[in-house]
Amino acid sequence: VLFGPALNRDFTQNNSVSIVQTVVYHVAAGPTPGSDFTLYRNDGTGDQVIASGIEDLQFSYLLSDGTIVDNPPVAAPPNAPTIRAVTISLLGRRLDPNTSATISTRPALMDHAAGAAKDRYHRLVLTKVAEVRSLGLLN
């Protein structure tokens, strides 16, 4: 069991308390020239390496009105759109180019265009659609 920081006020008995934490994921080239792309996670304590060889990470959201967006609009309930599902796409790239591989380019992924530079890296795109839990309890 993990315990976070102490609450900043007293709550009466039988109150529900939720602690929300912002976590940011981002992909960046390593600190040295020629180093590989890396997936980082930052929960407010600084960047932590999650995986190397990751070129791109994309999220898109299916809203209750049937539209698919990359950045859901920020609105307070009851005007906030309900997110029904999240599509997560991850583009991995082999750490070293393969000199015998077919020349390729970075593929397009959601709202990111395909790369223009040709190389000999093997790549793999993984995509998962995650439906929102307890969907029957929403709107």
Side-chain angles (χ1 to χ4, degrees):
V1 176
L2 298 175
F3 294 98
L7 299 174
N8 61 2
R9 71 179 185 94
D10 290 332
F11 290 88
T12 60
Q13 189 173 357
N14 297 324
N15 269 351
S16 295
V17 177
S18 298
I19 298 175
V20 178
Q21 179 183 23
T22 299
V23 177
V24 176
Y25 292 89
H26 69 98
V27 174
T32 58
S35 60
D36 205 33
F37 287 95
T38 302
L39 174 62
Y40 295 93
R41 176 185 192 270
N42 189 329
D43 61 3
T45 60
D47 284 345
Q48 301 163 358
V49 174
I50 299 297
S52 59
I54 304 299
E55 273 191 302
D56 202 354
L57 173 67
Q58 294 282 312
F59 296 90
S60 67
Y61 305 88
L62 172 65
L63 304 181
S64 58
D65 63 4
T67 59
I68 297 173
V69 297
D70 296 325
N71 295 308
V74 176
N79 299 324
T82 303
I83 296 173
R84 298 293 188 191
V86 180
T87 300
I88 307 149
S89 294
L90 187 69
L91 174 62
R93 182 181 84 175
R94 183 182 166 117
L95 296 179
D96 297 313
N98 182 341
T99 56
S100 64
T102 305
I103 294 176
S104 64
T105 58
R106 180 193 175 285
L109 188 62
M110 293 184 169
D111 67 340
H112 288 174
K118 295 185 178 186
D119 58 29
R120 293 182 183 272
Y121 285 100
H122 288 283
R123 290 177 173 87
L124 178 65
V125 176
L126 300 174
T127 300
K128 176 69 178 171
V129 176
E131 294 183 22
V132 176
R133 278 181 61 182
S134 304
L135 188 57
L137 301 176
L138 302 173
N139 299 18

